[in-house]
Amino acid sequence: MSRLSKSAFFFVFMICGSLAFSQLRIAPIKSNKKQTQVEFKTLNLPFWDDFSNSENTPDTLLWKVGEDIFVNDALSINTPTYKAASFDGLKGNGIAHDMANDFNANTDSLASHYIDLSGRSAADSIYFSFFWQAGGYAELPDETDLFSLLFYAADSTWQTKWSATGGLSTLSDQFQQEIIAVDSAKYLHDKFRFKFVLNGKSTGPFDSWHLDYIYLNEHRERTDTAHFDRALTGKPTSLFGIYREIPAHVFFKNPMTFLGAQQVGTRNLDNLPHAVRYYYQLENLTTNEVYYDQEISGAAVTLEPAQMDTVFGPTDVTLASQLDPLDSQVISSTFYMFTGDKNLFEEVIGSDTVFQDVDLKVNDTIRQTYTLQNHYAYDDGIAEYAAGINVKNGKIAVQFALAEPDTLTHIDIHFPNIEPDATGESVNLMVWTDLDRNIVLTSQAYTITSNTRLNEFKRIKLDKTQLVRDTIYIGFQQLVEDYVGVGFDKTSPDAKDQIFYNTGDQWIQNQRLDGILMIRPVFHFDSTFILSNNKVLSAPVPYPNPSKGIIHFQKDIDRISIFSLDGSLVFEAGSGRQFDISSLPNQLYLMRIGVGNTTTSSKLILNQ
């Protein structure tokens, strides 16, 4: 493949209403899900959130303000637990807070509900702690940028209690922890609140800070920076190596060709060593086949104080070929661990042991689903960034090496909602079989339309189906100099060299930018593939699993029935999000979970 030592091609992003250039640069994208007005709630101690159970935005049961905060597992480095809350100059819909303002201003903020601290005194030893990081994988804040923590006083004013400025002095691949006393009488009232505020550029995603593991409680000390918590952290590597998704008929023809051992991070947040056991589950949610469900460590593994480690998935998983596979199937992989963490915070006060309502096991399980349908995908379907070019007649392409000949019928592309808006712009969709010789298999015009939902792919039908084999390149040529952004998944760095671009007369292979453009080839398209899969992908998942006696769901379910392996009904309940099954003996159970008219099945291990 031809290379240039330097290229005129740039990925670009928006600054102050004009395009700024930097070789192979990208811009973060945040959730555009709109939140309704959140009513104030009054909470009691303890307050704890590690964001591991949040999707895109913070939990409104804990946070009054947070619609512009992006909860994710991609932008921070060495996160204490799974996911962190990221702050920058973008609103929750991915648009800059103020494109016309060149000066620093307050942008993202995260504020709690009321917390009742009335009737307490300094003798109760109340402390507030949190972890933070500047920059991470996103933009490093400037020296003039400020990230602050404020407390709400009884006189209805906000008081700054901590702050950090940007610049190279804050650059670190580790999170820092702060702990602050809440000992002044002006904070010990029934409407105490706290909030984090970013003051930086309001014109785009430039000043990024990340927040995790927020804990406010009484009976603490200034040295109380260790937490009796072991957690999985980060996103597991893909089940299929470089691919995230593969056509079902291709995978099940020879599954062991694609199947690889996954890995995920883990961390001990305590100042003492602790033994943990790691487990892995691999199952087919469509056929209800369980391929693997057992301990992978073989014995307890000791995590040293503050140690970060990697859990390696099993290498002995075997999937048999399917002679006539279903066209649409979903594979689920789950890492979970027995840690000895408490379901609740446990404190000894005098001669009494007090349990407080915070579940420290929510970060002990990470589950991912993989769709086997009718397309190849390097990306995971979530765009953390946008990437593109603003060169007239410039081209971008993604390379796919096909396992077998197939019939190409459609192309999937995610054009995110960003500024400048590409809606209405025209591009030439293109398929190449050889970039060096510029062999174009097909080319057709397409006009970009506005999205109706987050991370929406446009499925574009080709004018003529194409029989393809070996290696193909999918992409487009843009017809104007205006910027056309494409979704960019930064959590797939192993696929980065599948990107190619051409801004003149030579193609260049990407080597700098870690991640992949969200462009996919689709074969033998049939809409029933999508429809048959929706129920499986949206099935409610209980956690933690294994359970110590309390199981949770991310959203309310309508009914739950639990059966022993001999078919006996041992537990039944109506609607809710949390269920206490601690009265049951330790063993494997089968659950039936109902939401509306849909009922799904799941296994649960109880180990108290």
Side-chain angles (χ1 to χ4, degrees), residues 336-482:
Y336 58 92
M337 58 183 183
F338 287 149
T339 60
D341 295 344
K342 303 296 183 182
N343 282 335
L344 309 173
F345 274 118
E346 175 183 318
E347 295 190 22
V348 178
I349 302 175
S351 60
D352 299 323
T353 299
V354 179
F355 296 92
Q356 299 176 312
D357 190 13
V358 172
D359 187 353
L360 290 179
K361 291 187 64 61
V362 296
N363 51 35
D364 292 352
T365 302
I366 297 180
R367 186 191 200 198
Q368 288 191 313
T369 56
Y370 299 88
T371 302
L372 299 173
Q373 211 170 76
N374 57 356
H375 59 268
Y376 290 90
Y378 298 119
D379 66 88
D380 66 359
I382 300 175
E384 290 83 23
Y385 291 79
I389 58 177
N390 69 334
V391 177
K392 186 176 182 179
N393 297 322
K395 309 178 190 72
I396 59 176
V398 178
Q399 174 182 275
F400 292 88
L402 307 182
E404 60 182 50
D406 216 328
T407 302
L408 181 68
T409 60
H410 294 68
I411 296 175
D412 281 353
I413 304 182
H414 172 48
F415 295 105
N417 292 328
I418 61 171
E419 291 291 337
D421 189 0
T423 300
E425 297 283 6
S426 294
V427 296
N428 280 337
L429 296 178
M430 304 185 75
V431 180
W432 298 264
T433 57
D434 190 309
L435 294 183
D436 278 328
R437 294 187 292 167
N438 196 34
I439 299 178
V440 179
L441 185 62
T442 186
S443 176
Q444 69 185 61
Y446 173 72
T447 301
I448 299 171
T449 58
S450 180
N451 291 334
T452 59
R453 62 183 184 274
L454 182 66
N455 293 309
E456 178 182 4
F457 278 88
K458 304 298 183 182
R459 176 152 288 184
I460 307 162
K461 183 178 180 180
L462 298 178
D463 292 339
K464 182 180 179 181
T465 60
Q466 304 288 337
L467 179 63
V468 292
R469 64 179 70 244
D470 301 326
T471 300
I472 59 173
Y473 302 83
I474 308 294
F476 63 85
Q477 176 187 42
Q478 66 183 66
L479 305 178
V480 294
E481 292 183 359
D482 295 335

Side-chain angles (χ1 to χ4, degrees), residues 165-430:
T165 56
L168 291 176
S169 62
T170 61
L171 182 63
S172 174
D173 61 359
Q174 301 296 324
F175 273 73
Q176 302 179 58
Q177 186 175 191
E178 308 291 341
I179 185 164
I180 298 167
V182 186
D183 53 4
S184 173
K186 62 184 176 181
Y187 302 129
L188 302 177
H189 58 98
D190 62 351
K191 287 183 170 54
F192 173 77
R193 301 174 69 202
F194 62 89
K195 69 177 178 180
F196 291 88
V197 178
L198 168 59
N199 185 277
K201 292 185 180 68
S202 59
T203 53
F206 309 115
D207 309 315
S208 297
W209 304 78
H210 312 287
L211 186 67
D212 196 20
Y213 217 92
I214 299 167
Y215 179 31
L216 170 68
N217 206 359
E218 57 189 344
H219 309 302
R220 301 182 67 188
E221 299 176 355
R222 185 171 294 279
T223 57
D224 185 16
T225 56
H227 307 279
F228 190 74
D229 195 0
R230 267 68 53 199
L232 294 174
T233 180
K235 179 177 291 187
T237 57
S238 177
L239 181 62
F240 308 124
I242 194 174
Y243 291 107
R244 296 281 181 163
E245 298 177 2
I246 308 170
H249 70 277
V250 172
F251 176 77
F252 283 110
K253 185 175 182 179
N254 191 356
M256 302 313 296
T257 300
F258 298 96
L259 201 64
Q262 294 182 275
Q263 53 187 279
V264 70
T266 185
R267 181 165 182 159
N268 177 12
L269 282 82
D270 202 3
N271 57 2
L272 296 173
H274 290 279
V276 299
R277 291 180 178 271
Y278 299 118
Y279 292 77
Y280 182 78
Q281 181 183 71
L282 185 67
E283 58 183 329
N284 190 317
L285 300 183
T286 306
T287 64
N288 292 321
E289 294 176 271
V290 177
Y291 305 121
Y292 193 97
D293 189 0
Q294 63 189 64
E295 184 177 359
I296 54 177
S297 50
V301 175
T302 299
L303 284 178
E304 296 299 326
Q307 179 182 355
M308 297 190 69
D309 203 356
T310 300
V311 181
F312 294 92
T315 58
D316 56 343
V317 179
T318 301
L319 274 68
S321 300
Q322 296 181 8
L323 297 178
D324 187 18
L326 296 171
D327 291 326
S328 179
Q329 301 187 45
V330 178
I331 305 294
S332 168
S333 69
T334 305
F335 283 92
Y336 58 92
M337 58 183 183
F338 287 149
T339 60
D341 295 344
K342 303 296 183 182
N343 282 335
L344 309 173
F345 274 118
E346 175 183 318
E347 295 190 22
V348 178
I349 302 175
S351 60
D352 299 323
T353 299
V354 179
F355 296 92
Q356 299 176 312
D357 190 13
V358 172
D359 187 353
L360 290 179
K361 291 187 64 61
V362 296
N363 51 35
D364 292 352
T365 302
I366 297 180
R367 186 191 200 198
Q368 288 191 313
T369 56
Y370 299 88
T371 302
L372 299 173
Q373 211 170 76
N374 57 356
H375 59 268
Y376 290 90
Y378 298 119
D379 66 88
D380 66 359
I382 300 175
E384 290 83 23
Y385 291 79
I389 58 177
N390 69 334
V391 177
K392 186 176 182 179
N393 297 322
K395 309 178 190 72
I396 59 176
V398 178
Q399 174 182 275
F400 292 88
L402 307 182
E404 60 182 50
D406 216 328
T407 302
L408 181 68
T409 60
H410 294 68
I411 296 175
D412 281 353
I413 304 182
H414 172 48
F415 295 105
N417 292 328
I418 61 171
E419 291 291 337
D421 189 0
T423 300
E425 297 283 6
S426 294
V427 296
N428 280 337
L429 296 178
M430 304 185 75

